[in-house]
Amino acid sequence: MHALTLLSFLFFTGLVAFITWRLTRRDDHESTSGYFLAGRSLTFPLIAGSLLMTNLSTEQMVGLNGAAFSDGLSVMAWEVVAVIALVALALFFLPRFLRSGIATLPQMLLIRFDAGTQLICNVIFLIAYAVILLPIILYSGAMGLQGMLDLSGLTGIESQTLLLWLTVWVVGIIGSIYALFGGLRTVAVSDTLNGVGLLVGGFVIVYFGLQAVSGDGGLLEGWNILKESDPQKLNSIGGSEQQVPFSTLFTGVFLINLFYWTTNQQIIQRTFAAKNLAEGQKGVLLTGFFKLLGPLYLVLPGIIAYHLYADQGIQADEAYGHLVFNVLPPYLTGFFAAVMVGAILSSFNSALNSTTTIFSLGLYKGVLNKEASEEQVVRSGKVFGWIMAFVTMTIAPLLAGQESLFGYLQKMNAIYFIPILAVVIVGLLTKRVPPMAAKIALVGGCLLIAAGYFVPPFDRLPLVMHEFHFVAGVFGLLVVLMLVIGKLRPRETDWVHEDSGAVDLTPWRGAVPVGLLLVALVVIIYATFAGG
């Protein structure tokens, strides 16, 4: 372990913390709007930076590069198809969300359906974040850091299990401090600072990785060697035996991306905090451009690692950490590890901030203490956040031994992604579908997908038709079921979507042309790499 690595790590981590504190120390952290929605003050650079960094964590860096190590370029679907979902957010979903003046997605279901639907959605989000999302962020972060910083050599701890627990708890506690003392604007500012570092660091890895492939013969030489030696790894069209077969791009992969970027509280909370609709749309579409670059630093390093280390018995999810440790100079390893810690923290603290928002505004203020003051609501969020953090830090190390971290994450996410997306889309596009239909879809959808994964004989279905086709089938079934209930037992009156007056809803003039350009670029990228 090089002293320079440790020093550069500590310096960069401290610098981000200091700048974040300087920029947000006078913010309003006492009112619910200030704490949970940054006072509705976010402009497009902060929205884009925070969206990108909340999404970009070690489950992406480690998990997606690990998937590329196994399957090659076809796993870029998780980055590139996301662009279409972001265009849908900017043009369709965001105007409707901002019109409602909401702070959480379940509040949208309260406005469209009723309090019971909101309560079910709140509970689903809280369970999913506690059991699936937050533990995976911490576990993947701990695994990535162990590979990059040689933590066993640094600490003298030889037990991998003990080291995993320690790393998870240290990162978890630091992330909790950011999220629970600072509120959403603190999260957004630290995200944006780390985002710059992560983008720079990600491209630096590619530079040194291609240099290693070519034996210092240059980037183009390295790229040409990759194309010649592993052409099958550079095919954007996934085969039927791979994690993302091409046909699934139009079913489950598209729907999971659509939920993630349009109705996932952890992601979209920063768009609810937009200063106005135009700033929100600019921030979302700018994120789309950055996602188009995603394959360069989230997929290509995995293919480089395959070329360099495939014969060394490296596991897929170890590939990225191994590459970073071997190709980066020591002074840059520390910087990059610091950026990775920032990435872990940003995803962890964003998810934790969203979890406390859902609890405080949805359950505490909505159910447990309807007369609560602003101060009580914020305090309830902080207390619940610490409880959630400790539960998560206990669950995270128990995930050790998953074959593909990223694959596991997408599979588990689909259980609650698909029913919530179906209810939101039907809710926004119809006027007469009643609350009963939404409740049946939310509970029934989660149970159906969970049964398809874990309960015989239903668990044969995802094997017969690929799990992404299976979840798309469940989505279609839920939509039809809700529409049928809407025909047989409709609401007595049409639902009217009223303007809350929370922000200016004048759209950005460039939103539609930029959205169309992004969709065209997605098609061009797929066509360019089709067939390897």
Side-chain angles (χ1 to χ4, degrees), residues 270-295:
R270 55 265 315 119
T271 66
F272 296 162
K275 195 174 180 179
N276 52 49
L277 175 58
E279 288 294 310
Q281 288 179 318
K282 282 188 263 185
V284 168
L285 293 170
L286 180 59
T287 309
F289 274 108
F290 282 124
K291 293 303 283 179
L292 286 175
L293 300 176

Side-chain angles (χ1 to χ4, degrees), residues 355-372:
T355 307
T356 58
T357 308
I358 287 171
F359 173 80
S360 302
L361 300 181
L363 290 183
Y364 183 76
K365 176 81 171 166
V367 179
L368 303 174
N369 184 2
K370 293 185 178 179
E371 305 304 314

